[in-house]
Amino acid sequence: MSLKKQPCFISLSAFLFLILLCLFYPAIPAWSAPQKQTFNIGILTLHATHQHQLEDSPWQLTIDRLNQYSKYHFNTVFLPPNKLTNALENDELDFIITDAFNYLILEKKHDVLRMLTRTELFDGEYISSEALSIFTMNNNSEVTRISDLQGKRIALLENEYSTSELFLEKFLNIHDLNIGENVDLLVLERFDLTQSWLKEGKIDALITKSGLLEKQLDKTTLETLRLVYPRRGRHAPFLHSSVLVPEWAFARAWFINDEIVNQIITILISHKKNDHVNYLSEQYHWTFAQKYHGLAELFALSREMETAQSPPPSSLSVKLKYWLSFLIICFLLVILIMYLRSSRDLNNRLKTSKESLELEIKERQHAQEQALTHQAELAHVARLSTMGEMASGLAHELNQPLSAIHTYVQGCIRLLKMDKHDPEAIINALQLTAQQADRAGGIIRRLRSFVRKGESHKTYTDINHIVNEVTGFLESQLHNKQVNLTLDLKEDLPPVLADIIQIEQVLINLLKNGIEAMSGNEQPAITVVTRRKDNKLVELCVIDSGHGISEDKLKQIFNPFFTTKTSGMGMGLSISSSIIEAHDGKLYAENNPVSGARFCFTLPVTEELVTEQPVTKEYLGNNNNE
Ligand code: ADP
């Protein structure tokens, strides 16, 4: 290469170098300076159409100031509520700027934490709360309370940077107003349009962020409007209709460390006078995170929001739930039907068994009645046969008074035939005659009452009286058989409730059996003993000195038709036993230690008379009449 050509080469190289320098110049600072850590700030935007530039928003100065004074870099992204939540869920956001309602939801769901609260200039004072104002025309008498908005058409003038439709919706809910159901809502952005609609009656109420209308309208126009339910809180200088809620929040994601947070708070809160960048704008400013005002109502709202935010059930799970409920209802119905049917069956069965039970009871009663009749009849038959057996004894017994009567009457006749008859002697003889006739009549009366056929008739009676009656009755028979009768009767026994004839029959049976068991004995002897037993019983025993009863027969003698006698019927003890049982007593037999047998029966003492001792003679008198 010649030297002439060298300047040309140098200039060409310099030219190329310059071009390269121009091309790569923007990248040079990046290589030279250390790269800043970048953070993403998600900012809530209420309308998709408002994906505006940062320059148009009141947040611009905030972001500028952070980028200028911190050692970090901050990107901004404007997102509607649902996308803001999604981005936070995907850890795409480090910070968020959002309204109070959305903040509450995100705090609950994603652990975001507010660092700062926005304040807004109002009458020379920065206020960190906001509220809704509901205006109607001054002459509109239909809307005086918030609940009057029911069935009305209302318009919300939505400011992009104030709390939103969600606030209005929750606030109206407190007053039982539901948008779309009993209130028509229009969301408008053009202030002039809203106001003219109100004037023309196209809408009944206009809702704005509190303080906004006061700033925008002149006094005369403002006077044509009326605030519905105006109130003034301690934390706000403006009149408002709703509860106060905190202004927008600047919040951090849970994973952001304190050092960065401290830096942000310091930068945004500290400012110098005349430092225009210090202010979010003249209108807005940041302050420390505020406590929420109108806490109770807001909490109620937040609870509602919580339920509103719970993920809607998938259509599959809804269907499943429907089917499950349907199946459960069907199952319950089947069980109910089965239960009803089985209870009906059970009822039927119960009814049938009740009927058969009633029938059985009736049959039993009938059988019992029949048994009693039979028993009475048997007793009657037994008495008749006893009477038949005693016929000779009776004839002998009657013979005595009759022959005495005959003798006395003969004597009277003789006396009357005498010339000088003594009337005293005749009267005496006739009195004796009458006595003997009474005696014969008494024998016949006793016989008649003994053989009378009748129903059981129980009276209070003295058992000793029965013994005396029966032994008197059998006197001739005992005499004929030369039986030595001993009566060992305890005095002052309590009365028993008994059918005298039936008990007499039992005693006759026992005495007759005793006499028969002693036939062939050289010294036949019978003892009748009465005594009290166990306080509640009276016992009567007939003790004979006969042949006794062998052990094997002792168990059978009470069976009907059991007899060891050639002419016996085997019914006496059986009938006696059932008579005593019908009196709630017991008939039993045992052998005497030396010889003979003893037959005893017990009868219960009448309860109420157990303690009343001794027995009054009235009872005895009554029984004697029998
Ligand atoms: P019957 O006198 O017609 O035989 P009972 O029923 O009165 O019927 O008596 C049944 C049986 O009991 C008698 O046949 C007899 O064997 C026995 N018996 C009853 N009383 C006595 C008694 N005092 N001593 C021994 N045996 C007796």
Side-chain angles (χ1 to χ4, degrees):
M1 189 183 291
S2 69
L3 278 174
K4 279 181 187 174
K5 287 181 181 174
Q6 261 184 359
C8 182
F9 175 74
I10 289 167
S11 54
L12 190 65
S13 302
F15 178 71
L16 278 174
F17 177 75
L18 279 173
I19 288 174
L20 282 173
L21 196 67
C22 288
L23 277 176
F24 288 100
Y25 178 74
I28 290 168
W31 295 336
S32 54
Q35 210 171 356
K36 280 187 172 182
Q37 193 180 350
T38 304
F39 292 104
N40 292 329
I41 304 178
I43 302 176
L44 177 75
T45 183
L46 298 172
H47 302 287
T49 49
H50 275 207
Q51 296 293 338
H52 40 64
Q53 300 298 311
L54 181 64
E55 292 85 54
D56 296 340
S57 80
W59 317 114
Q60 185 192 352
L61 290 176
T62 299
I63 309 305
D64 285 352
R65 188 170 167 78
L66 287 177
N67 279 332
Q68 184 177 354
Y69 288 101
S70 77
K71 52 180 180 180
Y72 309 109
H73 181 73
F74 293 89
N75 284 332
T76 50
V77 48
F78 287 86
L79 295 165
N82 53 343
K83 288 203 174 146
L84 194 70
T85 311
N86 286 346
L88 204 62
E89 230 164 45
N90 299 333
D91 291 344
E92 288 165 12
L93 297 178
D94 304 296
F95 297 95
I96 49 159
I97 294 176
T98 182
D99 73 351
F101 283 87
N102 206 40
Y103 169 74
L104 270 181
I105 294 165
L106 297 177
E107 187 192 78
K108 272 244 175 306
K109 302 270 172 200
H110 300 293
D111 272 352
V112 298
L113 195 64
R114 64 187 186 277
M115 308 181 294
L116 296 161
T117 302
R118 190 177 74 175
T119 62
E120 192 179 351
L121 192 60
F122 190 90
D123 275 355
E125 195 185 343
Y126 280 99
I127 308 299
S128 54
S129 304
E130 61 174 322
L132 295 173
S133 290
I134 301 174
F135 288 97
T136 186
M137 289 306 290
N138 219 347
N139 54 3
N140 186 354
S141 57
E142 281 184 25
V143 180
T144 54
R145 292 168 304 174
I146 291 168
S147 54
D148 291 339
L149 295 177
Q150 186 165 350
K152 301 283 189 302
R153 172 182 270 215
I154 57 174
L156 172 70
L157 181 64
E158 198 163 74
N159 179 334
E160 177 67 10
Y161 310 111
S162 66
T163 300
S164 61
E165 195 180 329
L166 188 62
F167 181 13
L168 177 65
E169 189 186 320
K170 297 299 165 194
F171 173 65
L172 291 178
N173 284 166
I174 298 174
H175 298 273
D176 291 330
L177 296 169
N178 294 309
I179 295 168
E181 279 178 32
N182 53 7
V183 176
D184 263 356
L185 175 72
L186 297 169
V187 180
L188 300 170
E189 291 167 56
R190 277 182 55 196
F191 176 70
D192 53 336
L193 192 67
T194 326
Q195 196 209 341
S196 65
W197 278 13
L198 189 64
K199 235 187 231 171
E200 290 160 19
K202 285 185 181 168
I203 52 173
D204 294 284
L206 166 63
I207 296 142
T208 65
K209 177 180 176 173
S210 298
L212 187 75
L213 227 56
E214 290 89 330
K215 276 185 206 165
Q216 303 271 349
L217 297 177
D218 58 81
K219 218 178 165 198
T220 341
T221 322
L222 205 58
E223 274 169 5
T224 61
L225 303 178
R226 177 166 50 79
L227 195 62
V228 179
Y229 191 53
R231 50 171 151 172
R232 188 189 296 278
R234 257 189 320 126
H235 305 284
F238 45 77
L239 282 172
H240 52 279
S241 305
S242 74
V243 288
L244 282 167
V245 295
E247 270 278 5
W248 285 48
F250 194 144
R252 60 159 160 162
W254 62 271
F255 49 81
I256 298 298
N257 69 46
D258 288 346
E259 197 250 304
I260 305 164
V261 172
N262 286 342
Q263 232 183 84
I264 291 174
I265 292 175
T266 317
I267 292 168
L268 293 182
I269 295 242
S270 66
H271 60 87
K272 292 177 203 134
K273 275 263 158 126
N274 304 324
D275 177 4
H276 75 277
V277 184
N278 285 347
Y279 285 90
L280 178 52
S281 71
E282 279 302 320
Q283 187 62 24
Y284 299 108
H285 192 270
W286 289 108
T287 186
F288 289 106
Q290 295 296 296
K291 263 192 167 184
Y292 285 1
H293 308 306
L295 214 59
E297 284 159 290
L298 201 66
F299 264 54
L301 293 179
S302 75
R303 268 202 302 278
E304 280 178 36
M305 281 193 291
E306 197 178 348
T307 42
Q309 287 297 311
S310 61
S314 70
S315 61
L316 184 68
S317 75
V318 170
K319 272 183 191 167
L320 262 175
K321 266 185 195 168
Y322 274 127
W323 276 107
L324 210 64
S325 325
F326 178 71
L327 283 175
I328 288 171
I329 289 169
C330 286
F331 179 69
L332 289 176
L333 271 175
V334 168
I335 286 184
L336 188 73
I337 291 167
M338 279 167 64
Y339 170 76
L340 286 176
R341 284 189 63 174
S342 72
S343 71
R344 201 183 57 195
D345 286 356
L346 198 71
N347 273 348
N348 285 346
R349 263 184 283 163
L350 272 176
K351 210 173 147 188
T352 324
S353 59
K354 193 183 157 199
E355 280 168 4
S356 67
L357 208 68
E358 279 172 356
L359 198 72
E360 208 171 304
I361 288 170
K362 267 186 197 161
E363 279 172 2
R364 238 178 233 199
Q365 277 174 345
H366 184 64
Q368 236 166 9
E369 280 163 18
Q370 270 191 337
L372 281 174
T373 320
H374 283 157
Q375 185 180 300
E377 277 169 4
L378 270 173
H380 182 233
V381 170
R383 283 197 294 277
L384 286 180
S385 78
T386 308
M387 196 194 75
E389 287 164 28
M390 293 189 308
S392 61
L394 280 169
H396 170 76
E397 209 173 338
L398 278 173
N399 204 26
Q400 282 180 345
L402 286 176
S403 43
I405 289 167
H406 178 79
T407 312
Y408 291 136
V409 171
Q410 287 295 333
C412 285
I413 293 167
R414 259 198 323 274
L415 284 172
L416 285 169
K417 278 183 180 172
M418 285 166 63
D419 288 341
K420 284 183 184 176
H421 54 267
D422 183 6
E424 280 291 315
I426 295 169
I427 290 168
N428 191 32
L430 285 173
Q431 275 173 342
L432 288 169
T433 311
Q435 273 178 11
Q436 289 305 316
D438 280 349
R439 190 180 158 199
I443 293 166
I444 303 239
R445 210 171 34 251
R446 254 193 347 233
L447 190 69
R448 278 186 59 198
S449 82
F450 179 68
V451 296
R452 89 175 143 79
K453 185 181 177 183
E455 288 173 5
S456 177
H457 179 65
K458 288 181 181 172
T459 50
Y460 292 110
T461 188
D462 176 14
I463 195 81
N464 290 342
H465 174 70
I466 293 176
V467 176
N468 287 324
E469 279 285 300
V470 169
T471 49
F473 191 62
L474 294 180
E475 197 183 326
S476 59
Q477 205 170 344
L478 290 163
H479 178 75
N480 287 346
K481 301 279 181 184
Q482 295 174 338
V483 175
N484 185 12
L485 176 73
T486 310
L487 298 181
D488 179 6
L489 309 178
K490 205 38 115 245
E491 280 184 10
D492 297 335
L493 284 178
V496 288
L497 187 64
D499 183 319
I500 296 169
I501 301 294
Q502 287 187 1
I503 300 299
E504 279 178 353
Q505 177 63 47
V506 172
L507 188 53
I508 288 169
N509 285 346
L510 298 182
L511 286 168
K512 264 178 56 200
N513 279 347
I515 294 167
E516 282 167 6
M518 294 185 299
S519 64
N521 264 24
E522 282 186 4
Q523 289 177 328
I526 284 184
T527 308
V528 179
V529 183
T530 57
R531 65 180 184 114
R532 215 170 156 157
K533 193 181 176 189
D534 300 340
N535 197 36
K536 288 185 176 176
L537 296 171
V538 165
E539 188 186 52
L540 184 151
C541 290
V542 177
I543 306 159
D544 65 56
S545 55
H547 51 66
I549 315 152
S550 62
E551 279 300 316
D552 57 323
K553 286 173 187 146
L554 208 53
K555 289 173 190 160
Q556 302 176 56
I557 53 175
F558 293 102
N559 294 344
F561 306 112
F562 176 83
T563 182
T564 54
K565 300 166 194 169
T566 44
S567 58
M569 274 177 67
M571 289 302 292
L573 287 179
S574 157
I575 291 169
S576 301
S577 174
S578 38
I579 287 173
I580 295 299
E581 274 168 23
H583 281 75
D584 296 326
K586 203 175 166 198
L587 174 65
Y588 47 95
E590 59 190 12
N591 284 312
N592 292 322
V594 183
S595 67
R598 90 173 36 214
F599 283 79
C600 301
F601 65 81
T602 55
L603 290 174
V605 172
T606 317
E607 279 296 322
E608 58 268 33
L609 296 172
V610 170
T611 50
E612 292 176 20
Q613 295 199 35
V615 180
T616 56
K617 290 289 175 196
E618 272 171 54
Y619 287 112
L620 305 179
N622 288 343
N623 294 333
N624 285 341
N625 293 341
E626 280 291 313

